[in-house]
Amino acid sequence: MNRDDPEGAIAEAAKTYSNWGRWGEDDVLGTLNFLTEAKRREGAALVRRGVSFSLSQRFDMNGPQKGWRRRTNPVHTMLDTGTDAALGNQGFPHGIGGADDVIAMPLQCSTQWDGLGHIFDHGRAWNGRDAATTVTSDGDLVTGIEHMAPYVAGRGVLLDVGRVVGDDDGTKELPDGFAVTEEHLTATAAAHGVSVGRGDIVVVRTGQLARVRREGWGDYAGGPAPGLSFTTAGWLHRTEIAAIATDTWGFEVRPNEFEGAFQPLHQVVIPNMGLLIGEMWDLDALAEDCAADGVYEFWLTAAPLPITGAVGSPVNPVAVK
Amino acid sequence: MNRDDPEGAIAEAAKTYSNWGRWGEDDVLGTLNFLTEAKRREGAALVRRGVSFSLSQRFDMNGPQKGWRRRTNPVHTMLDTGTDAALGNQGFPHGIGGADDVIAMPLQCSTQWDGLGHIFDHGRAWNGRDAATTVTSDGDLVTGIEHMAPYVAGRGVLLDVGRVVGDDDGTKELPDGFAVTEEHLTATAAAHGVSVGRGDIVVVRTGQLARVRREGWGDYAGGPAPGLSFTTAGWLHRTEIAAIATDTWGFEVRPNEFEGAFQPLHQVVIPNMGLLIGEMWDLDALAEDCAADGVYEFWLTAAPLPITGAVGSPVNPVAVK
Amino acid sequence: MNRDDPEGAIAEAAKTYSNWGRWGEDDVLGTLNFLTEAKRREGAALVRRGVSFSLSQRFDMNGPQKGWRRRTNPVHTMLDTGTDAALGNQGFPHGIGGADDVIAMPLQCSTQWDGLGHIFDHGRAWNGRDAATTVTSDGDLVTGIEHMAPYVAGRGVLLDVGRVVGDDDGTKELPDGFAVTEEHLTATAAAHGVSVGRGDIVVVRTGQLARVRREGWGDYAGGPAPGLSFTTAGWLHRTEIAAIATDTWGFEVRPNEFEGAFQPLHQVVIPNMGLLIGEMWDLDALAEDCAADGVYEFWLTAAPLPITGAVGSPVNPVAVK
Amino acid sequence: MNRDDPEGAIAEAAKTYSNWGRWGEDDVLGTLNFLTEAKRREGAALVRRGVSFSLSQRFDMNGPQKGWRRRTNPVHTMLDTGTDAALGNQGFPHGIGGADDVIAMPLQCSTQWDGLGHIFDHGRAWNGRDAATTVTSDGDLVTGIEHMAPYVAGRGVLLDVGRVVGDDDGTKELPDGFAVTEEHLTATAAAHGVSVGRGDIVVVRTGQLARVRREGWGDYAGGPAPGLSFTTAGWLHRTEIAAIATDTWGFEVRPNEFEGAFQPLHQVVIPNMGLLIGEMWDLDALAEDCAADGVYEFWLTAAPLPITGAVGSPVNPVAVK
């Protein structure tokens, strides 16, 4: 890996790990195709205690966004309130009152899935499509996230790399700039006694979210962070996982591992591999539970809102053990 | 039931079916308390084939909203596009391009959960709280839907009343204004060979959504519709279900069964019973499958977005059989 | 004018009436360049009585938009209310309370200016620029409406064509589909005893807004309407007016005068002529006054909000006589 | 003025300077009633050169808002772009292409007017109305800013206090926390050779905006700032000005002059005096011109958008000299 040649490294990885055509030229699901009905049966069998966890951050103005690329925190406002209802301002009969609300938010503002139309490689979208006609001002006309709506439910695996690898200083958190390699991932799985394979939804905890919760957002949205090394592209491809998510803003390590680069691993895995990526997930409560009972696999439903033509979606992933 | 006295009927039902205090004075979950870990284990065991269904309508401008009470359809816009990426307008290095997007929408615009702060009875919110200080311009300060984030996953039961009761004319749809009674519900469950009980999430298909899809939205958002009769309040309370959802705008039959009334069943079941209600769910694909295999129970995850202080949430419910 | 060849007619008019290069290659103002300081002095001298008129419709949900091209009516919501202030929900000291609000709206939803980046001709924007790099997802990078912020104040002239030409049936309104020609415009000016010339802001009343107010919006937003004939392009160019606005959705007559055409006059006058166009102005109160005192010229300020990169702006034009 | 008793000081000033009932019990204009037709004639006569100035900041994401009370900077997004038009993605005939846009913004985010429903005093709105029923979740039902739409055009006067009083260090800017008193205002007017009186729109330049432009926004939105002293309430009342605006976020000096206070002068002048207040105006270009030609009076149009029920409005004030 030549630090000075991101474009070359990306081109090579893109070629090596491409899944273009693998599921036909009309495919709109990418690696989600790996998540089969058999895998769902396997996942459901992991519900042993019946305990459930939300892996979502809360959506509100106390989030990490600072306006970069017009990404704000969610703005939630009320159309009607209990205050007005109680004062009789609403004009409804027989003592009924109501409250309604509205939200305005970037789909990438908090816990989310990146859709297949979120990233392009030299003007090419997933499966080799022309980005220029696939994702226009009208949204993603082909691979909008609505197509994934029924499918994101299966076996989840937590790799708490923060806990296993970052344990030296007692924080169970990886420092910013820490590149998680294939070796870290496999060592973590081994430490957990859990396997990762075809069709799994893998969630990787770095611990950064726990740290910024304690210390303040700082540059959580776009600044230095632990995350997956560019070199994990092969592992991501070879394992044939259906999806992967982290507790960080950008999934991959930042600063990126090349000079003058911007999210090079995204450029490989989204448009070329068709991998479903989740970001800003909150894995802390689940991780505590997994550490306690030693079970790092579970049933996971992480259903994107079927916003027509969206290149991402807020999501409240729910894990059940 | 005196058609001319909605306020009296509501008051009586509210008193009879109240759950105030049942789960302590700090409760923020209402009937979702019935959804226990045991129930989740029972639900997960229903995953036999591994096939999954989204029960959500798509979120876009082609929805039913016409502006009543400032409820619009979702407005989805792009912050960046593939078109710009392909033309090199984005200024990113090494050939990476990206698309981002934004949404502005009422939380009650399409497939949704009504939060516990959505409806009040004479200035009282769920558990007897003062509506005026519970749901202000800052949102629901106590029972915001974020509190439900981890829990809405369990055993789902489809009652396809449209198919069972509405079958006379071959449409498998109930006509607008049709009041679904307890007898209809129990007869449907019997016809399906399915039980309904404590902690279940019940989804009731009237067939109205199928009809408006065929014929145009018309007044789907607020006009006449089939739906639950006011008289089902007892059944909703006695069965101790965790939640219920329909394929209609408003859950209960419209026109409402009293003169000059507005959503009287809501006034009983949300603030008094603490019942979680879903609306505008799309049950057609699931219903087809259930009719085909004769199995009307399944694993259901319907996780609201944890929007802090929200009185409702868009949701993509996913059923797995 | 060959009804079957809009493209040919547009090409010819575009060439004949082009102002490309007239104000230098860096120009961002178009015909607003005609509005000189001398013209402002002339306009200010028209303030004789001191009476002022708003030429804006109100911005609210009771507007004409129905969702075409994601154009909604404005959604105005409150962040804080007097209700909450009165109930002491706000936490401010010494009895102060406050109300704040938010708006979400298309910039083309109601009374507005079309910016120079609003319309393109075969991929060319005003002054011959490449549309593809001028107006991207980041907005109009060159001719954003913010550049016009200080300048739209000068002599206004009302041409009440509805009153002069449409008077036959007593309504003082032109019927939908009525094409206003140069002859109508000059006859109206003559009837009013007013001149139109270089640097003027001309407002043309068709009466359609009065009609839809009486009869309901119907298809005001995009349907049949009276408006300027395609043949007025020469007059618009020759008079060297700074801007023109109408009381209709789309400025030009609809249905358009060619088979299968869409807003052909826009295609000539915005990207080729650089003409500033206003739409959905409310001219009725001003027109009543002008009819009463016989004075059809006035001081007019119609300042767009300087929204950076916007291709249009809501505006509250104020006329003072 | 007892620094420890803001509530007492406010109550006394509110009583002394109240205009309740002055223009009848149905009044919705407050001090804007002072701006008469005669005053407009006087103002128009000030157009001598014909040069015009925008007094508005630009509306974009590079603004000062940081999320306090859900106030964000304006989010402007495109519905259609020139990029898509150039690539033929739009489906329009004969080579026409278009761009549309949308904005979501707090009405108090940048250059603005505070409406009469923006501030309350112990649950009372302007003219003694009950805040609880005047400004609800449906907006300001009585004194919405739409009522002011035709009227805000008249004689403007610049008081460049920064230049006159702040000149000691050469910056022509007042330091943060500097309380502008009646003496400063009258001395500035005297230095400018300009009078201030009934019906005028007074714009006060402190220089803070120039400073934050140079040094970065910092806490411009809500932090320390120069501004009007609480003690100017009498001057504001006695002069019978129609409106006043500053180049700061909050009009009055911050930190406020009482212990534990929040915008006490607002509490006096908006609900009690009915004074129209403008904030975040950009006075620098105008001030340069006034310093150059020594003329500090001009024609000013500052027309709020008639957003129905709004308690404020973005505005692009245009001064013409």
Side-chain angles (χ1 to χ4, degrees):
Chain A
M1 195 170 98
N2 181 348
R3 277 190 62 81
D4 295 321
D5 183 20
E7 195 152 8
I10 292 164
E12 185 179 333
K15 185 177 174 191
T16 310
Y17 307 126
S18 170
N19 284 325
W20 287 5
R22 185 167 185 164
W23 298 285
E25 65 179 26
D26 295 334
D27 181 68
V28 295
L29 296 178
T31 57
L32 198 49
N33 283 288
F34 289 130
L35 207 176
T36 61
E37 299 187 358
K39 177 57 68 172
R40 279 196 204 98
R41 294 194 299 270
E42 180 188 341
L46 300 173
V47 177
R48 291 155 182 156
R49 294 157 48 207
V51 61
S52 58
F53 301 88
S54 166
L55 310 186
S56 177
Q57 297 188 38
R58 290 194 175 177
F59 287 73
D60 58 39
M61 288 293 287
N62 299 316
Q65 303 297 339
K66 294 181 172 178
W68 181 75
R69 294 186 81 73
R70 286 173 284 170
R71 288 187 186 166
T72 64
N73 291 310
V75 180
H76 171 238
T77 58
M78 303 303 294
L79 293 166
D80 304 286
T81 66
T83 314
D84 280 315
L87 287 192
N89 287 341
Q90 298 188 327
F92 287 123
H94 53 70
I96 194 173
D100 261 32
D101 38 11
V102 173
I103 201 159
M105 63 174 171
L107 299 180
Q108 289 76 25
C109 67
S110 186
T111 305
Q112 73 181 284
W113 283 121
D114 284 351
L116 291 176
H118 180 52
I119 297 290
F120 315 106
D121 181 6
H122 291 86
R124 291 287 142 186
W126 162 239
N127 227 20
R129 295 186 180 94
D130 179 7
T133 54
T134 302
V135 185
T136 74
S137 299
D138 285 329
D140 186 331
L141 306 176
V142 181
T143 42
I145 204 141
E146 71 274 16
H147 297 290
M148 294 183 172
Y151 302 123
V152 194
R155 177 179 183 254
V157 176
L158 171 67
L159 297 184
D160 191 347
V161 185
R163 178 172 297 267
V164 173
V165 179
D167 214 5
D168 281 0
D169 66 350
T171 62
K172 296 166 187 163
E173 298 161 8
L174 303 178
D176 293 338
F178 186 98
V180 175
T181 63
E182 176 175 340
E183 291 67 35
H184 294 129
L185 294 169
T186 53
T188 299
H192 293 343
V194 75
S195 66
V196 170
R198 184 172 182 146
D200 286 332
I201 302 168
V202 178
V203 292
V204 176
R205 184 182 169 278
T206 68
Q208 192 203 19
L209 180 60
R211 181 164 62 248
V212 297
R213 276 208 175 117
R214 198 173 57 236
E215 299 180 356
W217 286 117
D219 290 326
Y220 179 78
L228 267 67
S229 169
F230 183 80
T231 61
T232 60
W235 184 87
L236 293 167
H237 186 255
R238 193 170 61 252
T239 52
E240 298 184 339
I241 59 174
I244 188 166
T246 67
D247 58 348
T248 64
W249 171 82
F251 162 67
E252 56 186 295
V253 63
R254 289 178 61 81
N256 300 129
E257 295 156 292
F258 297 92
E259 293 299 321
F262 182 73
Q263 302 296 75
L265 187 55
H266 275 69
Q267 190 172 344
V268 173
V269 300
I270 294 182
N272 292 290
M273 203 182 296
L275 181 64
L276 182 59
I277 294 179
E279 290 162 338
M280 290 192 253
W281 291 33
D282 179 359
L283 305 173
D284 290 338
L286 175 66
E288 281 298 310
D289 186 87
C290 294
D293 75 356
V295 179
Y296 283 83
E297 57 184 351
F298 39 83
W299 173 251
L300 179 62
T301 306
L305 285 184
I307 301 164
T308 307
V311 299
S313 175
V315 64
N316 175 10
V318 172
V320 187
K321 297 177 67 174
Chain B
M1 191 171 100
N2 180 349
R3 278 189 62 82
D4 295 322
D5 183 20
E7 195 152 8
I10 292 164
E12 186 179 332
K15 185 177 173 191
T16 309
Y17 306 125
S18 170
N19 283 326
W20 287 4
R22 185 168 183 163
W23 298 286
E25 64 178 26
D26 294 335
D27 181 67
V28 295
L29 296 177
T31 57
L32 197 49
N33 283 288
F34 290 130
L35 208 176
T36 60
E37 298 186 0
K39 176 57 69 172
R40 277 194 206 100
R41 294 193 298 269
E42 180 188 341
L46 301 173
V47 177
R48 291 155 184 157
R49 294 155 50 208
V51 61
S52 58
F53 301 88
S54 166
L55 310 186
S56 177
Q57 296 188 42
R58 290 193 176 178
F59 287 74
D60 57 39
M61 288 294 287
N62 299 315
Q65 303 297 339
K66 295 181 172 177
W68 181 76
R69 293 186 81 73
R70 285 174 284 171
R71 287 186 187 167
T72 64
N73 291 310
V75 180
H76 172 236
T77 58
M78 302 304 294
L79 292 166
D80 304 286
T81 67
T83 314
D84 280 315
L87 287 192
N89 287 340
Q90 298 188 326
F92 287 123
H94 53 71
I96 194 172
D100 261 33
D101 37 11
V102 173
I103 202 160
M105 64 175 171
L107 299 180
Q108 289 76 24
C109 67
S110 187
T111 304
Q112 72 180 285
W113 283 119
D114 284 351
L116 290 176
H118 181 52
I119 297 291
F120 315 106
D121 181 6
H122 290 87
R124 290 287 142 187
W126 162 240
N127 227 19
R129 295 186 180 94
D130 179 7
T133 52
T134 302
V135 185
T136 74
S137 299
D138 284 330
D140 186 330
L141 306 176
V142 181
T143 43
I145 204 138
E146 72 274 16
H147 297 291
M148 294 183 173
Y151 302 123
V152 194
R155 178 181 182 250
V157 177
L158 171 66
L159 297 183
D160 191 345
V161 185
R163 177 172 297 266
V164 173
V165 178
D167 214 5
D168 281 359
D169 66 350
T171 61
K172 296 166 187 161
E173 297 162 8
L174 302 177
D176 292 339
F178 185 98
V180 176
T181 64
E182 176 175 341
E183 290 68 33
H184 294 129
L185 294 169
T186 54
T188 299
H192 293 343
V194 75
S195 66
V196 170
R198 182 169 183 149
D200 286 333
I201 303 168
V202 179
V203 293
V204 177
R205 183 183 168 278
T206 69
Q208 192 203 19
L209 180 60
R211 182 163 60 248
V212 298
R213 275 208 176 116
R214 200 172 57 237
E215 300 180 357
W217 285 116
D219 290 328
Y220 179 78
L228 267 69
S229 169
F230 183 80
T231 61
T232 59
W235 183 87
L236 292 167
H237 186 255
R238 194 172 58 252
T239 51
E240 297 184 337
I241 58 175
I244 188 166
T246 67
D247 58 349
T248 64
W249 172 82
F251 163 65
E252 56 186 295
V253 63
R254 290 180 60 82
N256 301 129
E257 296 156 289
F258 299 92
E259 293 299 321
F262 182 73
Q263 301 298 73
L265 186 55
H266 275 70
Q267 191 173 343
V268 173
V269 301
I270 295 181
N272 291 290
M273 202 183 296
L275 182 63
L276 182 58
I277 293 179
E279 289 162 339
M280 291 192 254
W281 290 33
D282 180 358
L283 306 173
D284 289 338
L286 175 65
E288 281 299 309
D289 187 86
C290 293
D293 76 354
V295 178
Y296 283 83
E297 58 184 350
F298 37 84
W299 172 252
L300 180 62
T301 306
L305 286 183
I307 301 164
T308 307
V311 298
S313 175
V315 65
N316 175 12
V318 171
V320 186
K321 296 178 67 175
Chain C
M1 192 170 100
N2 181 349
R3 276 189 63 80
D4 295 320
D5 183 21
E7 195 152 8
I10 292 164
E12 186 180 331
K15 184 177 174 191
T16 309
Y17 308 125
S18 170
N19 284 325
W20 288 4
R22 186 168 184 163
W23 298 285
E25 65 178 25
D26 294 334
D27 181 67
V28 294
L29 297 177
T31 58
L32 197 49
N33 283 289
F34 289 130
L35 208 176
T36 59
E37 298 186 359
K39 175 57 68 170
R40 278 195 205 99
R41 294 194 299 269
E42 180 188 341
L46 300 173
V47 177
R48 290 153 182 160
R49 293 155 51 207
V51 62
S52 58
F53 301 88
S54 166
L55 309 187
S56 178
Q57 296 189 39
R58 290 192 177 180
F59 286 74
D60 57 39
M61 287 293 287
N62 299 315
Q65 302 297 339
K66 295 180 172 179
W68 182 77
R69 295 186 81 73
R70 286 173 284 170
R71 288 187 185 166
T72 64
N73 292 309
V75 180
H76 171 237
T77 58
M78 303 302 294
L79 292 167
D80 304 286
T81 66
T83 314
D84 279 316
L87 287 191
N89 287 340
Q90 298 187 327
F92 287 124
H94 52 71
I96 193 172
D100 261 32
D101 37 11
V102 173
I103 201 159
M105 64 174 170
L107 300 180
Q108 289 76 24
C109 67
S110 187
T111 305
Q112 73 182 283
W113 283 121
D114 284 350
L116 290 177
H118 181 51
I119 297 290
F120 314 106
D121 181 5
H122 291 86
R124 289 289 141 186
W126 162 239
N127 227 19
R129 295 186 181 95
D130 179 6
T133 52
T134 302
V135 185
T136 74
S137 300
D138 284 330
D140 186 332
L141 307 176
V142 182
T143 42
I145 204 140
E146 72 274 15
H147 297 290
M148 295 183 172
Y151 303 122
V152 194
R155 178 181 182 250
V157 177
L158 171 67
L159 297 184
D160 191 347
V161 185
R163 178 172 297 266
V164 173
V165 178
D167 213 5
D168 281 0
D169 66 350
T171 61
K172 296 166 187 161
E173 298 161 9
L174 303 178
D176 292 338
F178 186 98
V180 175
T181 63
E182 175 174 343
E183 290 67 34
H184 295 129
L185 294 168
T186 53
T188 299
H192 293 342
V194 75
S195 65
V196 170
R198 183 172 183 146
D200 286 333
I201 303 168
V202 178
V203 292
V204 176
R205 184 183 168 278
T206 69
Q208 192 203 20
L209 180 60
R211 181 163 63 249
V212 297
R213 277 209 175 117
R214 198 172 57 237
E215 299 180 356
W217 286 116
D219 290 327
Y220 179 78
L228 266 68
S229 169
F230 183 80
T231 60
T232 60
W235 184 86
L236 292 167
H237 186 255
R238 193 171 59 252
T239 51
E240 299 184 337
I241 59 175
I244 187 166
T246 67
D247 58 350
T248 64
W249 172 82
F251 162 65
E252 56 186 296
V253 63
R254 289 179 61 82
N256 301 128
E257 297 156 293
F258 298 92
E259 293 300 320
F262 183 71
Q263 302 295 75
L265 185 55
H266 275 70
Q267 191 173 343
V268 173
V269 301
I270 295 181
N272 291 291
M273 202 182 295
L275 181 63
L276 182 59
I277 294 180
E279 290 162 337
M280 291 192 254
W281 291 33
D282 180 358
L283 306 173
D284 290 336
L286 175 66
E288 281 298 310
D289 187 86
C290 293
D293 76 354
V295 178
Y296 283 82
E297 57 184 351
F298 38 85
W299 173 248
L300 179 63
T301 306
L305 285 184
I307 301 165
T308 307
V311 298
S313 176
V315 64
N316 175 11
V318 171
V320 187
K321 295 177 69 173
Chain D
M1 194 171 96
N2 179 350
R3 276 190 63 81
D4 295 322
D5 183 21
E7 195 152 8
I10 292 164
E12 186 179 332
K15 183 177 174 191
T16 309
Y17 307 125
S18 171
N19 283 325
W20 288 3
R22 184 167 183 164
W23 297 285
E25 66 178 26
D26 295 333
D27 181 67
V28 295
L29 297 178
T31 57
L32 197 50
N33 283 287
F34 290 130
L35 207 176
T36 61
E37 298 185 1
K39 176 58 67 171
R40 279 195 204 98
R41 294 193 299 270
E42 180 188 341
L46 301 172
V47 177
R48 290 154 183 159
R49 294 155 51 207
V51 62
S52 57
F53 302 88
S54 166
L55 310 187
S56 178
Q57 297 189 40
R58 290 193 176 179
F59 286 73
D60 57 39
M61 288 294 287
N62 299 316
Q65 303 297 339
K66 294 181 173 178
W68 182 76
R69 295 186 80 72
R70 286 174 284 170
R71 287 185 186 167
T72 64
N73 292 310
V75 180
H76 171 237
T77 59
M78 302 303 294
L79 293 166
D80 304 285
T81 67
T83 314
D84 280 315
L87 287 192
N89 287 341
Q90 299 188 325
F92 287 123
H94 52 70
I96 193 173
D100 262 34
D101 38 10
V102 173
I103 202 160
M105 64 173 170
L107 299 179
Q108 288 77 25
C109 67
S110 185
T111 305
Q112 72 180 288
W113 283 120
D114 284 350
L116 290 177
H118 181 51
I119 297 290
F120 314 107
D121 181 6
H122 291 86
R124 291 288 141 186
W126 161 239
N127 226 20
R129 295 187 181 94
D130 179 6
T133 53
T134 302
V135 185
T136 75
S137 299
D138 284 329
D140 186 331
L141 307 176
V142 181
T143 41
I145 204 140
E146 71 274 17
H147 297 290
M148 294 182 172
Y151 302 122
V152 194
R155 177 180 183 253
V157 177
L158 171 67
L159 298 183
D160 191 345
V161 185
R163 178 172 297 266
V164 174
V165 178
D167 214 4
D168 282 359
D169 65 351
T171 63
K172 296 166 187 161
E173 298 160 9
L174 303 177
D176 293 337
F178 186 98
V180 175
T181 63
E182 177 175 341
E183 289 67 34
H184 295 129
L185 295 169
T186 52
T188 299
H192 293 342
V194 74
S195 66
V196 170
R198 183 170 183 148
D200 286 333
I201 303 168
V202 178
V203 292
V204 177
R205 184 182 169 280
T206 69
Q208 191 202 20
L209 180 59
R211 181 163 63 247
V212 296
R213 276 207 176 118
R214 199 172 57 236
E215 299 179 358
W217 285 117
D219 290 327
Y220 179 77
L228 266 68
S229 169
F230 184 80
T231 60
T232 61
W235 183 86
L236 292 167
H237 186 256
R238 192 170 61 251
T239 51
E240 298 183 340
I241 59 175
I244 187 167
T246 66
D247 58 349
T248 65
W249 171 83
F251 163 66
E252 56 187 295
V253 63
R254 289 179 60 82
N256 300 129
E257 295 156 291
F258 299 92
E259 292 300 320
F262 182 72
Q263 303 296 75
L265 185 56
H266 275 70
Q267 191 173 341
V268 172
V269 300
I270 294 182
N272 291 290
M273 202 183 296
L275 181 64
L276 183 59
I277 294 179
E279 290 162 338
M280 289 191 255
W281 291 33
D282 179 358
L283 305 173
D284 290 337
L286 175 66
E288 281 299 309
D289 186 87
C290 293
D293 76 355
V295 178
Y296 283 83
E297 57 185 351
F298 39 85
W299 173 251
L300 179 63
T301 306
L305 285 184
I307 301 165
T308 307
V311 299
S313 176
V315 64
N316 176 9
V318 172
V320 187
K321 296 177 69 174

